[in-house]
Amino acid sequence: MIEIMEIEELYDDRKMIKWMGFFLSEHNEQLSAEKRKPVIIEAKEEQSIEEITKILKMMWEKRLVCSIQLNFIDNGSYYPDIVGTIEGFTDELIIVQTEEGIRSFSESAIRNVQENERIKWFK
């Protein structure tokens, strides 16, 4: 007959688990200071409309994930790249599916498009 062991028998608590949720006030201050620090996003190489159109079409056909930098600057920094798959085109808009949802913008607003680097599962 198989004996069912209690959790206490399987794991020796050494009285450390109860302290895992506590942070030092200095640690909390450091974490909040890092969140407030502005991130400067540099400009990528500006591509021509023809080059952007060609890359977007290839990304759409192959269903690849791409990074799109828009030509908008806020406080001396470009907006973060839009990372996602191209879902389609209208006469004026490009539709991109991201992790946050669907985004749409005009092709003339794009500064740079490139294939997103694939993450190796074995690293």
Side-chain angles (χ1 to χ4, degrees), residues 21-119:
F22 292 100
F23 286 102
L24 295 174
S25 61
E26 293 86 6
H27 187 225
N28 283 334
E29 289 174 18
Q30 182 183 7
L31 289 174
S32 62
E34 287 177 11
K35 288 180 185 175
R36 287 190 305 256
K37 192 185 315 181
V39 177
I40 305 296
I41 299 172
E42 299 293 324
K44 294 181 180 176
E45 175 188 345
E46 190 164 7
Q47 297 170 326
S48 67
I49 293 290
E50 294 81 24
E51 190 176 2
I52 290 171
T53 304
K54 180 179 145 188
I55 295 170
L56 287 173
K57 185 177 180 216
M58 182 193 65
M59 295 292 170
W60 178 67
E61 289 171 348
K62 295 184 177 184
R63 302 290 299 156
L64 297 173
V65 177
C66 61
S67 296
I68 301 171
Q69 184 178 49
L70 298 179
N71 212 4
F72 299 129
I73 300 175
D74 184 32
N75 293 329
S77 175
Y78 282 87
Y79 283 42
D81 288 1
I82 298 169
V83 178
T85 56
I86 308 296
E87 292 298 317
F89 305 91
T90 66
D91 292 339
E92 300 171 1
L93 298 174
I94 296 164
I95 299 150
V96 179
Q97 175 70 49
T98 66
E99 288 184 2
E100 294 83 29
I102 293 185
R103 304 270 313 262
S104 60
F105 41 85
S106 69
E107 190 174 18
S108 62
I110 297 174
R111 179 180 181 82
N112 185 291
V113 179
Q114 56 191 358
E115 183 178 352
N116 203 24
E117 291 185 25
R118 298 180 186 186
I119 299 171

